[in-house]
Structure formats: C-alpha cells, structure tokens
Amino acid sequence: MITWFGIAIIVLAVCAGIVSVVSFARKRTPNDYTLGATLLVGLLLLAQVVIAIIAPFTGNHAAGDPLEFWMYLITALVLPFGAAFWALIDRKRTAILVLLVVNLSVAVMVYRMMVIWG
Amino acid sequence: MPNSASASVLPEPRTSGLGRVLITVYLILALAATMRALYQIVAKFDEAPLAYSLSLLSGFVYMIATVALLKRTGVWRVIAWIALLFEFAGVIIIGALSIVLPELFAHDSVWSHFGSGYLFVPLVLPVLGMVWLRRDRVTLHAETDDAKATVREGKR
C-alpha cells in the first residue's frame, strides 16, 4: 500500500462526508457534488485495488495478513458504489446521510488497511 | 413531505427519514462483523473458537435484521423484532461475560466489552432499531388509513 495514496483516500472520503453534511443542512437531495464525491472515493478505491495487486511484485509487501487486508478493501469498495446506486434510485434528502455514513466508514476502513499493511 | 401523496398509495413500506440511515449502518455493521468473523475463522479459529463463532453468528443476525428492517411488513416485522432483541440480549450478555470471564473471550468478538471495538454501535443500534420500528408502525397505520380515505373519496 502506498502511504500517501491511502491518506489521500481518507482525506477525500472525509471531504465527501463534509460535503454531504453541508448538502443535508441545505436541504438538498443527492446531486452531482455529493454523488460525484462519493463516486470519486469509489474510483480511488478501485485504483487502490490495482495498487494492492501490483505492490507485492515491486517489493512492497504487507506486514499484516494480506487476506485481512483484502477483506477490508473489497468491503470498502462495495460501499460507495452501493450507496450512490441507492441514492440514484431513491433520491431523497436522507440519501445524503447514507452517503455521509458510507464515506466515514470508508475513511475508517482505509485507516485500518494502512495499519494492516504496516 | 411533498411527495407523500403519491407514495402513500404504494403497498411497499416507504424507507424514508432516519430509517434509511439506520438500515445503512446496519448493513455496514453486518458486512464488517461477517467479514471479520470469516477472516478470524479462516485464519485462526483454534485461538478462540467461541468468540469467533459468536462473531459469525452475530454477523448473520445483523444481515437478517438488515433485510427484515427493509421489508418490515407481515412476517418480516416479527423477524425484525426477534433479530433486534437477539442482538440487544447478545451485546448485553456477551458484553458482561467478557468483563466477568475474560478468559472465555480473550479475543475480540463483535459484542465483547459491549461492542467497544465498534465504537459501541452494536449496543446503540438495536435500541434505535426498536424505537424506529415502534414509531414506524404508527406511520404505517396512518398511511393505510390515508389510503382507505383516498379510496372512499374516490368512490364518492
């Protein structure tokens, strides 16, 4: 795992969370900003999947158990896309809160992934 | 809510308001608990078979609760209540046991120390779920009454 990239995902996920809180406070329904930020987090996680596949071949091995790392990564990857999909098929104001919860969960999970990788 | 008129005609329960957030948190907890327990069982089951089996069981119950809360009509409502009560009992009993008999739960399960490893979400969530399920029944009834009223008005 590349440390700065992991930190970038966490920062972006927290930012997406903040955008969600602001949008919810302004009584918006899911829009390009909230959904876009969440999808961006999802795309960065996809990039992280590629990184995690390539990293061991370049000598960057996980200190912890790779199996545990991958379980976190796959779960984290599903969340933003699932939440964005649910927000699209049912565009209610509270869908933004769902995006908030999901983004903060992703931030925590990426932190855990960084601890496992070492 | 501006779209309540059209939604009240639908037989499916509306997942509006905080219920939606609640179900999301349930889903994430279900995923987290199940994935972690699966990993623990695959990688190191013999270290703490009881704690890890319980983690997996709790993960499954969280999944059942997630589905039941989404449906929450008829039989699903009963299942939701059972799952929520089971979770609440689990977190209280296992939480207490993990403090009284730490040797049984040397390794963390979802419910050890009242769910402190999960920011006490497992302790709070079933309570919120039950409160919401009770309140939701009121709105469901109100909605059916609404629908009946609309039908009656339509006939006249």
Side-chain angles (χ1 to χ4, degrees):
Chain A
M1 193 168 184
I2 301 167
T3 307
W4 69 260
F5 193 74
I7 293 170
I9 304 178
I10 295 176
V11 169
L12 187 74
V14 171
C15 286
I18 294 169
V19 170
S20 306
V21 170
V22 172
S23 304
F24 181 76
R26 296 176 69 188
K27 301 191 193 304
R28 298 290 159 87
T29 52
N31 57 16
D32 286 355
Y33 296 110
T34 38
L35 283 171
T38 308
L39 283 177
L40 202 57
V41 171
L43 288 179
L44 285 191
L45 283 168
L46 259 182
Q48 178 60 59
V49 169
V50 176
I51 291 172
I53 292 171
I54 295 171
F57 294 108
T58 62
N60 182 1
H61 287 281
D65 194 328
L67 177 64
E68 191 178 17
F69 176 87
W70 276 101
M71 282 180 134
Y72 269 103
L73 182 49
I74 290 168
T75 313
L77 182 66
V78 173
L79 292 180
F81 293 108
F85 181 70
W86 197 13
L88 275 177
I89 57 172
D90 197 3
R91 280 181 173 244
K92 286 203 193 85
R93 193 178 150 219
T94 42
I96 295 178
L97 283 182
V98 172
L99 297 179
L100 167 71
V101 171
V102 162
N103 278 307
L104 293 185
S105 308
V106 167
V108 173
M109 291 171 94
V110 173
Y111 170 74
R112 274 291 298 155
M113 278 154 56
M114 290 174 76
V115 171
I116 294 169
W117 198 278
Chain B
M1 255 179 241
N3 60 351
S4 61
S6 58
S8 65
V9 190
L10 296 170
E12 280 277 300
R14 282 189 300 155
T15 309
S16 65
L18 292 173
R20 195 174 165 133
V21 183
L22 194 75
I23 288 168
T24 309
V25 178
Y26 251 103
L27 189 63
I28 293 174
L29 190 67
L31 278 174
T34 310
M35 293 296 264
R36 192 173 177 208
L38 279 177
Y39 165 70
Q40 287 168 329
I41 285 173
V42 169
K44 45 189 180 182
F45 181 66
D46 39 336
E47 281 180 27
L50 182 62
Y52 295 158
S53 309
L54 263 174
S55 278
L56 188 65
L57 176 68
S58 63
F60 285 147
V61 176
Y62 285 121
M63 282 194 179
I64 294 168
T66 309
V67 177
L69 282 176
L70 262 174
K71 305 244 182 191
R72 72 176 182 289
T73 44
V75 179
W76 283 109
R77 178 164 290 270
V78 180
I79 296 174
W81 272 107
I82 294 170
L84 289 171
L85 286 170
F86 182 85
E87 286 161 20
F88 191 62
V91 76
I92 296 290
I93 294 168
I94 303 299
L97 278 179
S98 66
I99 289 167
V100 181
L101 298 167
E103 65 275 11
L104 260 184
F105 297 93
H107 295 257
D108 277 348
S109 73
V110 181
W111 290 331
S112 304
H113 305 108
F114 302 107
S116 63
Y118 292 81
L119 297 169
F120 294 104
V121 170
L123 182 63
V124 181
L125 210 51
V127 179
L128 289 180
M130 286 188 271
V131 170
W132 179 66
L133 210 50
R134 258 189 72 92
R135 270 186 44 193
D136 180 69
R137 188 186 53 171
V138 179
T139 36
L140 271 183
H141 278 289
E143 264 171 41
T144 0
D145 290 347
D146 264 9
K148 277 180 200 155
T150 326
V151 171
R152 256 183 268 124
E153 271 169 41
K155 275 182 187 161
R156 244 188 284 146

